[in-house]
Amino acid sequence: MTNPTIIDGTFLAMKKIEAVREQVEKICSQSLRAPKLAVILVGDNEASKIYVRNKEKKAKECFIDSETIILPSDVSKEELEETIFKLNLDEKVDAILLQLPLPQNLISDSFDEKYFLSLISPSKDVDCLTSFNQGRVFNGSSSIYPCTPQGVLNLIDFTYSDLDTSISFDSIKSANLAGKSALIVGRSLLVGKPLSLMLLNRNATVTMAHSKTQNLQDLVKDKDIIVTATGYPKLFNSQNVKDGAILIDVGINKLENGKLVGDLDFESFKNKDCYITPVPGGVGPMTIASLMENVVKLYKNR
Ligand code: NDP
């Protein structure tokens, strides 16, 4: 009987955080100011509050300066715009993150989340969500990449480096993905779409699937890499998944009993010869570590 090999995102994220911290220590040892991240949190979304607290904690671990601007859920469009403009002009702020989702009262037909994201200066857009930076991701010329897809790519490279835990984060090589077939399920601007371009730019052959795709269980056949980012539990099981495939589960789903699970039917993979990320402990920690990496990159760019 075979077992899946677990891709330990918590471990890899720790390595990445160590590498970021070393860079910040080097900056500070030259009597320069530390890189600074500003997070805008609007409203009372409980999950968002937890994410923001985790980001503050990680920034502290990396010696990155962080500030969270908390705005009430009934904040006006103008006040949110003003907050973003001020941060754009603040010389000491290198990276701006507008925590999503925004409260419904801010959203209208003319002003959706994309509108508010578009107000962030591209040079401070830490999650590559402005149209300008999305364009650079599209043509492969960006100096930073969106945090979750970047974390997914790191996990893939780590797996192709035989999950060698003895090497430092910076010595993990970019895997040669030419000739590899990848399936991405989910086409959001945050995860699926940018990831598809990043894999394409790395010469993988990419198939995209979404909620209108038929026969997903057939589509997984012969894929070397499968990434799911849907928020839909038990999307598919191990049937038709080829031996040795790499499965990266981005999804986070809370079941009625409070348990957190991903998109994959994880149990069905328990006798499968494959590489798979757990939920929690897979992509989540890598997303935050990539955010810290991007803050330092934006600081250096400026
Ligand atoms: P979105 O809701 O923006 O996008 C979901 C995508 O999944 C859509 O493209 C949708 O298709 C597709 N989809 C939904 N149901 C199905 C289905 N049954 N079969 C195939 N495709 C389906 O979500 P996000 O991309 O923002 O997030 C996706 C998941 O990843 C969520 O669970 C989220 O919590 C998690 N996440 C985790 C992160 C981490 O760090 N671990 C970071 C970001 C997100 P269509 O376009 O047709 O509607």
Side-chain angles (χ1 to χ4, degrees):
M1 202 176 302
T2 49
N3 287 314
T5 304
I6 301 297
I7 310 168
D8 187 349
T10 306
F11 171 81
L12 190 62
M14 187 190 76
K15 287 282 203 184
K16 189 164 184 162
I17 289 289
E18 268 170 29
V20 174
R21 187 169 52 225
E22 272 170 29
Q23 288 184 52
V24 179
E25 277 177 331
K26 212 164 156 191
I27 291 168
C28 294
S29 73
Q30 296 164 337
S31 303
L32 297 168
R33 70 168 176 84
K36 181 168 177 180
L37 167 69
V39 179
I40 307 171
L41 175 63
V42 189
D44 292 319
N45 183 305
E46 283 308 317
S48 293
K49 282 191 201 163
I50 295 171
Y51 292 143
V52 169
R53 264 204 302 276
N54 286 343
K55 284 164 189 168
E56 284 171 344
K57 209 170 122 209
K58 282 296 158 200
K60 212 169 186 179
E61 269 178 45
C62 298
F63 308 125
I64 287 173
D65 204 359
S66 85
E67 179 186 2
T68 303
I69 295 110
I70 301 174
L71 300 174
S73 49
D74 61 356
V75 70
S76 67
K77 167 181 165 283
E78 290 72 24
E79 278 171 288
L80 179 54
E81 288 172 343
E82 184 67 26
T83 305
I84 297 172
F85 293 147
K86 265 194 190 150
L87 293 173
N88 282 345
L89 291 173
D90 188 336
E91 276 304 314
K92 287 189 181 134
V93 171
D94 303 289
I96 303 171
L97 188 136
L98 177 60
Q99 184 67 46
L100 301 179
L102 294 176
Q104 271 313 309
N105 55 295
L106 271 174
I107 310 293
S108 66
D109 287 347
S110 329
F111 303 104
D112 57 4
E113 290 183 334
K114 275 189 232 144
Y115 165 74
F116 291 103
L117 290 167
S118 76
L119 303 178
I120 298 174
S121 162
S123 65
K124 297 187 179 187
D125 170 22
V126 75
D127 212 4
C128 273
L129 285 168
T130 56
S131 302
F132 183 81
N133 286 337
Q134 281 171 343
R136 297 179 82 167
V137 170
F138 185 92
N139 65 26
S141 68
S142 186
S143 63
I144 66 160
Y145 286 88
C147 302
T148 301
Q150 182 56 47
V152 170
L153 272 190
N154 292 149
L155 288 163
I156 293 170
D157 287 335
F158 182 48
T159 311
Y160 280 119
S161 308
D162 296 325
L163 303 170
D164 182 356
T165 52
S166 65
I167 56 176
S168 68
F169 183 83
D170 292 331
S171 46
I172 297 172
K173 289 198 177 69
S174 286
N176 177 10
L177 302 183
K180 302 288 181 200
S181 57
L183 169 68
I184 302 170
V185 194
R187 55 176 167 180
S188 71
L189 284 176
L190 198 65
V191 189
K193 272 187 193 159
L195 181 62
S196 69
L197 294 166
M198 289 158 75
L199 284 169
L200 198 59
N201 290 338
R202 293 270 301 265
N203 296 320
T205 303
V206 182
T207 304
M208 293 288 290
H210 45 79
S211 68
K212 310 289 184 290
T213 302
Q214 302 289 306
N215 305 328
L216 194 55
Q217 195 74 60
D218 293 340
L219 214 55
V220 301
K221 206 171 165 189
D222 297 330
K223 300 296 184 293
D224 300 296
I225 299 164
I226 301 171
V227 183
T228 56
T230 69
Y232 188 89
K234 298 205 175 175
L235 192 64
F236 58 85
N237 57 37
S238 63
Q239 194 195 330
N240 293 340
V241 173
K242 92 177 203 187
D243 283 350
I246 298 175
L247 295 119
I248 311 283
D249 192 344
V250 180
I252 304 172
N253 305 292
K254 199 171 187 178
L255 301 182
E256 273 177 14
N257 61 10
K259 197 180 165 198
L260 281 188
V261 297
D263 292 344
L264 293 169
D265 182 358
F266 197 80
E267 269 299 298
S268 74
F269 288 88
K270 70 173 187 243
N271 297 322
K272 184 85 196 166
D273 171 18
C274 67
Y275 299 89
I276 189 165
T277 55
V279 177
V283 178
M286 287 305 294
T287 296
I288 298 199
S290 300
L291 174 69
M292 299 305 140
E293 180 185 47
N294 279 357
V295 175
V296 176
K297 281 189 179 164
L298 290 179
Y299 170 94
K300 289 184 176 174
N301 286 352
R302 293 177 73 233

